[in-house]
């Protein structure tokens, strides 16, 4: 069973919100710099350098782990469901994040063309395929909450 108050994902949420606040504040300065110093100014070049230095704090794989966790909580699922595909460059960070968060297993329900690649990548990272399964997904559709079964593959992380 997943803990809704998972400390790893709560910390990721906090860091992401802090980053977004800094990004918005930095973005708000741009037009003032342009109006005061112009497009070719050293001040605007410095603004872009500062923007470049303040990159988003999480990799794409970490983001997908966070999104899978958040969606699973929103859907009131007992187990983490990953319904997105992972690029080969995302799998390791995705699995590392789940392990850091103490997530013991997941149901992989993605149906894209990357499924086979993802299954083999999970196995290469030490995840154990425990079998086929179904998971109940709850969604709010047009104001009505519906529950339906989704086919998946369960992995121990």
């Amino acid at each position: 069973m997943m803990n809704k108050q998972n400390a790893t994902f709560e910390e990721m949420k906090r860091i992401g919100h802090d980053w977004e606040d800094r990004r918005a504040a930095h973005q708000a300065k741009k037009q003032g710099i342009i109006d005061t110093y112009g497009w070719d100014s050293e001040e605007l070049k410095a603004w872009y350098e500062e923007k470049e230095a303040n990159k988003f704090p999480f990799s794409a794989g970490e983001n997908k782990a966070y999104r899978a966790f958040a969606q699973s909580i929103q859907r009131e699922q007992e187990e983490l469901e990953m319904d997105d595909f992972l690029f080969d460059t995302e799998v390791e960070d995705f699995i590392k994040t789940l392990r850091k968060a103490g997530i013991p297993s997941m149901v992989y329900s993605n149906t894209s063309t990357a499924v086979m690649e993802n299954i083999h990548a999970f196995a290469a990272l030490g995840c154990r395929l425990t079998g086929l399964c179904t998971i109940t997904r709850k969604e709010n559709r047009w104001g009505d909450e519906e529950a339906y079964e989704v086919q998946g593959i369960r992995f121990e992380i």
Side-chain angles (χ1 to χ4, degrees), residues 30-153:
K30 184 178 180 183
Q31 192 59 49
I33 292 170
I34 293 168
D35 292 345
T36 305
Y37 301 104
W39 283 97
D40 294 326
S41 68
E42 291 302 314
E43 290 81 1
L44 189 59
K45 288 177 188 173
W47 182 91
Y48 277 108
E49 288 173 9
E50 187 178 321
K51 179 181 179 184
E52 186 67 24
N54 189 27
K55 293 223 182 241
F56 188 69
F58 302 111
S59 71
E62 291 170 310
N63 270 342
K64 286 188 177 179
Y66 177 84
R67 278 200 331 256
F69 178 81
Q71 282 181 333
S72 296
I73 294 297
Q74 181 184 24
R75 294 172 177 163
E76 300 177 13
Q77 292 169 307
E78 296 287 319
E79 190 171 12
L80 185 130
E81 177 191 359
M82 176 55 167
D83 64 355
D84 199 357
F85 71 94
L86 295 157
F87 289 104
D88 59 346
T89 57
E90 299 171 337
V91 178
E92 186 172 356
D93 285 348
F94 174 80
I95 294 299
K96 282 182 180 178
T97 304
L98 296 185
R99 286 180 175 147
K100 180 180 176 184
I103 303 295
S105 64
M106 71 167 174
V107 173
Y108 185 62
S109 62
N110 181 261
T111 59
S112 77
T113 56
V115 168
M116 191 58 64
E117 292 171 8
N118 285 176
I119 290 170
H120 282 266
F122 297 152
L125 289 168
C127 297
R128 189 168 74 85
L129 189 153
T130 60
L132 302 177
C133 64
T134 59
I135 190 168
T136 301
R137 184 187 291 167
K138 292 181 184 176
E139 289 187 358
N140 191 326
R141 297 182 179 186
W142 308 104
D144 295 325
E145 188 170 294
E146 295 181 21
Y148 57 97
E149 296 295 309
V150 176
Q151 295 177 331
I153 303 169

Side-chain angles (χ1 to χ4, degrees), residues 4-19 57-58 66 69 97 100-101:
K4 290 183 182 182
Q5 303 302 318
N6 187 293
T8 298
F9 291 116
E10 287 297 318
E11 181 65 3
M12 287 179 73
K13 183 178 179 179
R14 185 195 63 74
I15 290 168
H17 282 285
D18 288 350
W19 175 85
F58 302 111
Y66 177 84
F69 178 81
T97 304
K100 180 180 176 184

